[in-house]
Amino acid sequence: MRPAQSIEQAVGMRYYVSDGDGIGGRLRASPEDFVVRELEAFEAEPADADSGAYAHLVVRATLHNWDTNDFASALSDRLGISRERVSWAGTKDKRAVTTQLFSIADADAADVPEIDGAEIDVVGRAGRPVLFGDLAGNAFEITVRDVGRPEGVDAITEQLREFAGSADGDEPTVAVPNYFGQQRFGSKRPITHEVGLAIVRNDWEGAVMAYLGNPNEREPEATQAARAYVQETHDWEGALERFPRALGYERALCHSLADADNASPAAFRSALETLPTNLQTLFVNAAQSYLFNRILSERLDRGLPFDRPVAGDVVCFADGDAPADLPLPDTDRTQRVTAERVDTVERHCERGRAFVTAPLLGTETELAEGEPGEIERAVLADAGLEPTDFALPGEFDSSGTRRAVQVRSRIDVQRREEDAIRFAFSLPKGSYATVLLREYLKRDPAQL
């Protein structure tokens, strides 16, 4: 292992599991260098199916340099419908070429518009919308350019094979800790988890100020100045004059507080509730992700395995409906591993039938036992939290779940040019391509 970048450590990712020096390089020199294709897990009827019984039109869109939310808004605008009638299975990066499913409520195939930078094909009709999570995973073809040490690839790949427990086999399978990637928290200003932790502690003022304040040197000077001003003065009207108009969420918070009768906890909570519901949920999810990352880093610190359980671990079993070449954890089917069952469950893990997990903490979380449980309780105690603290109002509430601690993938690595390398691999839904690639590049995420 070797220490991670400081900005990664700030969100709980304390280590790389490979010791070799990074190859350097940069991602997304052009959108075509970052190609993502959804591995679909949604069934649709033919396009000529009865629209009364199957009210949702399903389309497959290949997007060039489009943010998923922005495309959904553009699609709804062109159709003249509410944005709420458009839904999708997974949000993708903007500077990329992405292929994914969308559904449009009460639309006909003939209505599908042409949109610049998008190729839209009708798939069929469905009786319900495509919902977040309606995919098995994503297939990636990513070209890293300006590589400084291309000769370092093989050594890193071998170390990641060892981490997967596959170094003695012929299958080119690698693995990494299933960290939540930097983009979960903010690549340049990682603060969403700080907002979420304050919410879970019922510190509504702290949550608002974590979002409004905290100037970061990676931001434009005008933005830094506005954050410093509001952090020092709590002058909401003055902050509105200083925050750039592009920072709409910051301005919405300031508007709400400027209109409030007083700066009470209720006023700060009300301000947060003016933000989009998906952003409110994201804050608490980011707090859960941060704690999960810390649990994984502590597991690495203690030398516990990731590919197999120890006594006290909680494992989940594989999703029986997943594609044969992409085993998926089914976190609704879990089992605590006793000392007597370790060997049996280890064999299940070796065959891809079970996965060691850690908690995404919430009100219904049952912690592990033994040393894994010690880690989970220590991280919670250090954060000053209990699972019951996640019983929160509205969109902030979370019952929690569990998540696999390791993510594995077959990988194909090809030298394209003298300073360019292409990586091709597939990951289950919820896992981050950048978490795998960081092991190879070992660069500050903001410089990628």
Side-chain angles (χ1 to χ4, degrees):
M1 294 192 307
R2 64 189 288 168
Q5 306 290 329
S6 59
I7 193 171
E8 295 175 321
Q9 295 192 36
V11 296
M13 295 188 288
R14 296 212 307 267
Y15 301 108
Y16 300 106
V17 294
S18 56
D19 290 322
D21 291 338
I23 65 172
R26 62 192 178 104
L27 303 175
R28 302 184 181 91
S30 72
E32 290 71 24
D33 284 344
F34 206 101
V35 178
V36 187
R37 175 176 55 84
E38 242 175 32
L39 301 175
E40 298 168 3
F42 186 86
E43 295 185 2
E45 301 297 321
D48 58 359
D50 177 20
S51 60
Y54 303 99
H56 300 269
L57 182 70
V58 180
V59 300
R60 183 180 296 113
T62 297
L63 308 180
H64 298 253
N65 207 33
W66 269 102
D67 173 83
T68 308
N69 286 279
D70 290 345
F71 173 75
S73 296
L75 180 60
S76 61
D77 287 347
R78 292 291 298 274
L79 289 168
I81 62 175
S82 164
R83 159 67 183 72
E84 299 302 317
R85 286 168 57 183
V86 179
S87 59
W88 58 93
T91 301
K92 306 292 188 284
D93 293 306
K94 176 181 178 179
R95 191 163 176 78
V97 177
T98 63
T99 301
Q100 62 190 116
L101 292 182
F102 291 82
S103 65
I104 311 164
D106 301 317
D108 293 324
D111 298 333
V112 175
E114 291 187 2
I115 297 177
D116 288 343
E119 301 163 17
I120 309 173
D121 297 315
V122 173
V123 174
R125 305 197 70 86
R128 68 169 181 84
V130 174
L131 298 175
F132 196 80
D134 274 337
L135 73 166
N138 295 285
F140 298 90
E141 289 187 13
I142 298 173
T143 300
V144 181
R145 300 195 182 275
D146 299 335
V147 173
R149 294 185 64 258
E151 69 278 4
V153 165
D154 290 343
I156 294 172
T157 299
E158 187 59 28
Q159 290 180 329
L160 298 184
R161 290 185 70 215
E162 291 175 5
F163 187 72
S166 63
D168 295 332
D170 295 329
E171 184 181 272
T173 298
V174 298
V176 294
N178 198 18
Y179 282 134
F180 285 92
Q182 195 74 35
Q183 59 266 51
R184 181 73 157 188
F185 311 97
S187 296
K188 294 184 178 180
R189 181 174 169 261
I191 51 85
T192 54
H193 64 296
E194 295 182 13
V195 179
L197 288 170
I199 290 170
V200 177
R201 295 173 182 134
N202 274 296
D203 178 8
W204 301 101
E205 179 177 354
V208 169
M209 295 313 301
Y211 195 79
L212 289 178
N214 285 327
N216 190 291
E217 62 183 8
R218 299 166 188 253
E219 295 182 294
E221 289 186 5
T223 301
Q224 292 182 52
R227 295 196 191 285
Y229 177 84
V230 74
Q231 185 167 290
E232 181 179 349
T233 66
H234 285 208
D235 174 7
W236 318 119
E237 294 282 3
L240 276 169
E241 296 174 3
R242 290 166 170 79
F243 271 119
R245 293 199 173 274
L247 298 182
Y249 296 149
E250 283 86 346
R251 294 178 61 83
L253 291 173
C254 290
H255 270 298
S256 179
L257 289 165
D259 291 341
D261 293 333
N262 55 63
S264 65
F268 285 103
R269 173 183 155 187
S270 179
L272 283 169
E273 290 175 336
T274 65
L275 299 178
T277 55
N278 64 334
L279 184 55
Q280 296 176 43
T281 302
L282 173 65
F283 290 143
V284 175
N285 290 164
Q288 294 168 313
S289 303
Y290 165 73
L291 296 170
F292 178 88
N293 282 359
R294 286 191 57 188
I295 290 169
L296 265 56
S297 291
E298 185 62 26
R299 191 176 180 105
L300 287 171
D301 243 350
R302 297 197 187 198
L304 296 184
F306 278 56
D307 61 321
R308 60 192 185 279
V310 299
D313 263 322
V314 176
V315 299
C316 71
F317 295 97
D319 184 343
D321 296 327
D325 58 347
L326 189 71
L328 295 179
D330 181 355
T331 53
D332 290 329
R333 299 169 57 225
T334 61
Q335 181 182 101
R336 195 182 305 278
V337 182
T338 62
E340 296 76 20
R341 292 272 298 163
V342 167
D343 290 344
T344 299
V345 178
E346 183 174 329
R347 288 193 292 273
H348 286 309
C349 291
E350 289 173 354
R351 296 167 184 168
R353 298 175 183 171
F355 307 85
V356 180
T357 69
L360 290 172
L361 293 153
T363 55
E364 297 178 10
T365 297
E366 293 186 11
L367 300 178
E369 298 295 339
E371 192 168 5
E374 290 176 10
I375 291 172
E376 294 171 9
R377 289 173 177 82
V379 169
L380 263 176
D382 187 63
L385 295 174
E386 296 284 347
T388 52
D389 293 332
F390 287 83
L392 295 161
E395 300 298 328
F396 302 115
D397 184 75
S398 179
S399 59
T401 185
R402 295 191 75 89
R403 172 180 168 96
V405 301
Q406 184 190 68
V407 59
R408 300 161 60 97
S409 178
R410 295 183 181 185
I411 190 167
D412 179 57
V413 183
Q414 294 184 10
R415 186 90 167 258
R416 285 300 180 89
E417 301 165 18
E418 182 177 344
D419 64 347
I421 296 177
R422 191 207 69 159
F423 296 85
F425 53 92
S426 297
L427 296 177
K429 60 184 178 182
S431 293
Y432 290 73
T434 51
V435 167
L436 175 53
L437 292 176
R438 67 185 282 274
E439 293 282 349
Y440 286 94
L441 276 63
K442 293 186 173 73
R443 294 196 64 192
D444 185 320
Q447 297 173 352
L448 298 179

